[in-house]
Amino acid sequence: MLEAREKEDLKRMGRAIADMAADLHKNGNIENALFIVPERGGGPIFQGLVRALGQMGHKEIHTVHLPASSIVENRDKNVREIVSKILKKNRGKYSKIYIIDEVVSGSSANMVRKAVVDAVKELDESKEWKRWYWQKLPVQVISLAAYNGEKIDGRIRKLATQGSFRFYKMHGRIPTMDREDLSPVQYPDVRRIVYSKRQKKTAKVVGPHILYDPQNRETWEAVKKAIEEGVLERLSEIGASIENKRKTH
């Protein structure tokens, strides 16, 4: 089960997610957006986001969960192909794509973004589409940034000024980051590869498959509860402005 400090950290995470949801709500088009959630990093964030958006009246949220961790073999190819199939099957249904993820430097989330953008480019072969695809179906990473965003790469910051990234900063480490025990998602068939025999470094590599581990169910339920407590706590503080926005629609 969770320790008291972990619960508080998860509640703090939920508060940041509530701010994320409030901004998405203000921007509109939730029902016409496609949300892409890289597992495992984006999963806990999206759990809180769904809770927050539900409180704001958004019941239909189009979502695809992808095995998009940096350790997944052929990640970019798999993400591009999956998203491409979804977009072609639902042509004209979406007006925007949001990628929900956690970031430290932002490089991993940017790799996912590039793969999704490639899928958008492939959607139509017309010259008009190829020229203006970034306006017709924009892709934006909505992220929870660890360490107050201090470790975000300069190139990613530049992309943020162009609208490709949006950051919601958290003090210190994101509590669910790299914590397999705090996630219901597990990767089977784990392999290890040697980066350098001289340095004797190894890295974990997994196939593009995910499992929902029932052994983590009790802990995961506690994680969700703590995140949602933070979400609801923060929403109660900003609720008046959200309600006024809803009344104008």
Side-chain angles (χ1 to χ4, degrees), residues 4-65:
R5 175 61 184 272
E6 289 176 321
K7 289 181 181 179
E8 287 304 311
D9 287 343
L10 289 165
K11 284 180 65 176
R12 185 163 46 85
M13 179 177 171
R15 291 178 62 86
I17 293 168
D19 288 333
M20 179 188 296
D23 285 347
L24 285 170
H25 172 77
K26 291 175 184 176
N27 290 339
N29 293 325
I30 299 297
E31 282 68 29
N32 295 323
L34 175 63
F35 286 80
I36 294 177
V37 184
E39 297 286 9
R40 288 186 292 252
I45 299 172
F46 190 70
Q47 181 68 39
L49 191 64
V50 168
R51 185 73 166 95
L53 291 175
Q55 289 292 110
M56 299 174 197
H58 300 286
K59 303 302 180 185
E60 185 178 12
I61 301 174
H62 304 286
T63 313
V64 55
H65 293 259

Side-chain angles (χ1 to χ4, degrees), residues 3 19 24 33 46 51 57 72 123 144-145 156 165 184 218 236 241:
E3 297 179 358
D19 288 333
L24 285 170
F46 190 70
R51 185 73 166 95
V72 172
L123 185 58
L144 203 58
I156 308 301
F165 274 78
E218 186 176 356
S236 69
S241 61

